[in-house]
Amino acid sequence: MTAQAQPNASGSAASSHAQNVAAAAKIVTQKMGALRPKIAIILGSGLGGLADKVSDAVKISYKDLPGFPVLTVVGHSGELIAGKLGGVDVIAFKGRKHFYETDDPYPLKTMIRTAKAVGVETLFVSNAAGALRPDMKVSELMAISDHINYMGLSPLSGANDDDFGPRFVPMTDAWDMHLRAQLIVAAEKLGIPLHEGVYMAFRGPTFETPAEIRMAIKMGADAVGMSSVPDCIIARHCGLKVVGCSMLTNMGAGLSDEKLSHAHTLEMAAKGATNFERLVTEFVKLA
Ligand code: HPA
């Protein structure tokens, strides 16, 4: 399978990108058999355990999908999993490439546009994030109502990929309010605390300084992280609806005495993982 793959990740030209998406979509469609997922889920740091809840799973390594990312961060392995979650057909992406690892948006574009090409209509994104509000507790979840792109770049910069979407993309309704309402209904049904708020994306890989956290709060953010905004932008560009939530793994820098580290992020994500898995499983049944 890898033999027919185009060169992966960095430097991939836009023209070979369209070919990669078509080739990856063909492989995924073929392997999925009778599955017809309308929702794809991107699993954030420490949240990959949801993939194990997918039954009748068809697993495809990113290595076998042309243009998909080659992953390096601990806690992420690269696999597309198609199957059933709570009886509903889904695709789960276990692992993705962040902007702190590469400036090349094409691996992420290939993942999301491949989902679209195989019939997906909704992208569910998840991430680990730092909480900025006093009512938020570590290992709780926050439904993302909107975002602030503070990464200093857009995945859509450069020539527009006309095959996939328009040059200019409105972001007024970037995070779908109806799907978010369903996420809130799912949380209420299960008795899982779910905050709602604005996610602000920094490029990382450093955690923020306390001054940056004070700035983020003043700018209207409720949580900070290093991902999901590019995912949302790419998905909206190709016409997917977007919904998602943050796992609040720590208070923002300077708001508590916690020492921030990737190990701490993974540990706190693990504590909230069961709630995350139950919530997403209930949500896909309602969506
Ligand atoms: N900042 C940025 N990214 C994060 C954080 C944070 O505090 N926690 C988990 N991911």
Side-chain angles (χ1 to χ4, degrees):
M1 202 75 76
T2 26
Q4 65 190 105
Q6 302 285 329
N8 227 322
S10 332
S12 57
S15 59
S16 70
H17 169 64
Q19 289 167 13
N20 283 347
V21 171
K26 198 170 161 195
I27 294 167
V28 174
T29 303
Q30 200 176 25
K31 293 219 169 195
M32 282 197 310
L35 294 168
R36 295 282 177 274
K38 294 275 172 256
I39 184 158
I41 305 160
I42 296 189
L43 298 170
S45 297
L47 301 174
L50 181 71
D52 301 331
K53 301 286 184 300
V54 175
S55 60
D56 304 331
V58 174
K59 298 186 179 182
I60 312 173
S61 167
Y62 289 177
K63 290 202 283 296
D64 295 327
L65 292 168
F68 269 54
V70 176
L71 302 179
T72 53
V73 179
V74 181
H76 296 275
S77 64
E79 220 170 30
L80 182 156
I81 297 120
K84 289 191 183 292
L85 187 65
V88 179
D89 293 1
V90 300
I91 285 176
F93 290 113
K94 195 170 175 192
R96 67 183 183 292
K97 202 98 179 171
H98 300 80
F99 268 153
Y100 55 76
E101 297 167 274
T102 172
D103 285 345
D104 182 2
Y106 277 95
L108 187 60
K109 285 178 171 177
T110 307
M111 288 168 58
I112 294 171
R113 290 169 176 172
T114 297
K116 164 87 179 177
V118 302
V120 163
E121 293 169 0
T122 296
L123 184 69
F124 190 108
V125 303
S126 62
N127 56 56
L132 304 186
R133 290 205 319 247
D135 64 310
M136 293 171 160
K137 290 203 223 37
V138 169
S139 300
E140 287 183 340
L141 293 160
M142 182 191 87
I144 303 173
S145 58
D146 204 348
H147 74 234
I148 299 172
N149 183 4
Y150 200 70
M151 290 182 144
L153 82 174
S154 165
L156 302 180
S157 298
N160 184 49
D161 301 316
D162 294 326
D163 291 344
F164 298 98
R167 168 78 291 186
F168 298 105
V169 185
M171 295 297 281
T172 321
D173 55 355
W175 297 84
D176 191 279
M177 60 186 283
H178 303 292
L179 292 171
R180 188 162 66 259
Q182 276 163 336
L183 189 62
I184 292 166
V185 167
E188 279 168 359
K189 188 171 168 200
L190 299 173
I192 292 173
L194 181 66
H195 300 280
E196 206 180 338
V198 174
Y199 175 88
M200 184 167 181
F202 285 75
R203 190 139 159 205
T206 54
F207 290 98
E208 299 70 32
T209 63
E212 286 166 344
I213 290 296
R214 290 194 297 276
M215 174 195 73
I217 293 169
K218 284 204 174 124
M219 288 173 109
D222 301 294
V224 289
M226 306 176 197
S227 63
S228 294
V229 164
D231 317 23
C232 173
I233 292 172
I234 294 165
R236 295 303 294 141
H237 176 255
C238 70
L240 294 174
K241 288 182 277 183
V242 179
V243 61
C245 65
S246 296
M247 167 64 66
L248 304 169
T249 54
N250 53 275
M251 297 308 291
L255 299 180
S256 85
D257 295 335
E258 288 163 293
K259 281 235 178 314
L260 303 187
S261 67
H262 190 57
H264 181 75
T265 298
L266 296 181
E267 190 187 331
M268 295 305 146
K271 285 197 174 160
T274 306
N275 276 350
F276 170 76
E277 291 164 15
R278 289 173 63 223
L279 178 62
V280 179
T281 305
E282 188 63 30
F283 169 78
V284 297
K285 287 194 244 169
L286 300 177

